Amino acid sequence: QVQLVESGGGLVQPGGSLRLSCAASGSIFSSNVMGWYRQAPGKQRELVATISSGGTTNYADSVKGRFTISRAYANNMVYLQMNSLKPEDTAVYVCNVHFLPSGINYWGKGTLVTVSS
């Protein structure tokens, strides 16, 4: 069993920055991809960014150049540094871990990010 707990969300003005954190605990196998997804009101969940256990990153086009995903392997943490935030970034941001090769996914409960003046 794996538990994911997000933190760092909040209210920020357009152009501002936030850093999200996700703490993973439990049976974290070495081959995995950790990532952030988001769901805005009335919209489907969408991928924001992922990072593999080997350090390969992937970003949604809408956040490239503004968001940076990173991870701390020693303590199973994953971070999302969000800069130049826009109102359209407003959403619940959810942490995910995807295990390979089983394909099993675990999800956190999410943290709300609101970008508004």
Side-chain angles (χ1 to χ4, degrees), residues 26-37:
S27 300
I28 307 296
F29 299 107
S30 59
S31 184
N32 61 71
V33 178
M34 297 192 75
W36 291 93
Y37 291 72

Side-chain angles (χ1 to χ4, degrees), residues 11-111:
L11 174 64
V12 63
Q13 292 187 342
S17 298
L18 278 177
R19 187 190 193 214
L20 305 184
S21 299
C22 173
S25 60
S27 300
I28 307 296
F29 299 107
S30 59
S31 184
N32 61 71
V33 178
M34 297 192 75
W36 291 93
Y37 291 72
R38 67 186 181 187
Q39 187 164 16
K43 295 187 177 181
Q44 290 188 330
R45 182 177 291 181
E46 63 175 0
L47 180 147
V48 177
T50 62
I51 183 166
S52 72
S53 48
T56 300
T57 59
N58 179 52
Y59 295 93
D61 288 343
S62 59
V63 307
K64 282 181 181 176
R66 300 189 297 123
F67 291 11
T68 302
I69 190 170
S70 60
R71 62 190 293 176
Y73 296 91
N75 54 4
N76 290 320
M77 296 288 295
V78 63
Y79 306 98
L80 186 68
Q81 178 66 42
M82 305 186 294
N83 299 327
S84 303
L85 283 160
K86 304 175 182 180
E88 51 263 44
D89 294 318
T90 295
V92 174
Y93 285 71
V94 183
C95 182
N96 166 269
V97 62
H98 176 80
F99 289 115
L100 303 168
S102 66
I104 295 174
N105 282 288
Y106 290 93
W107 298 89
K109 294 183 178 180
T111 185

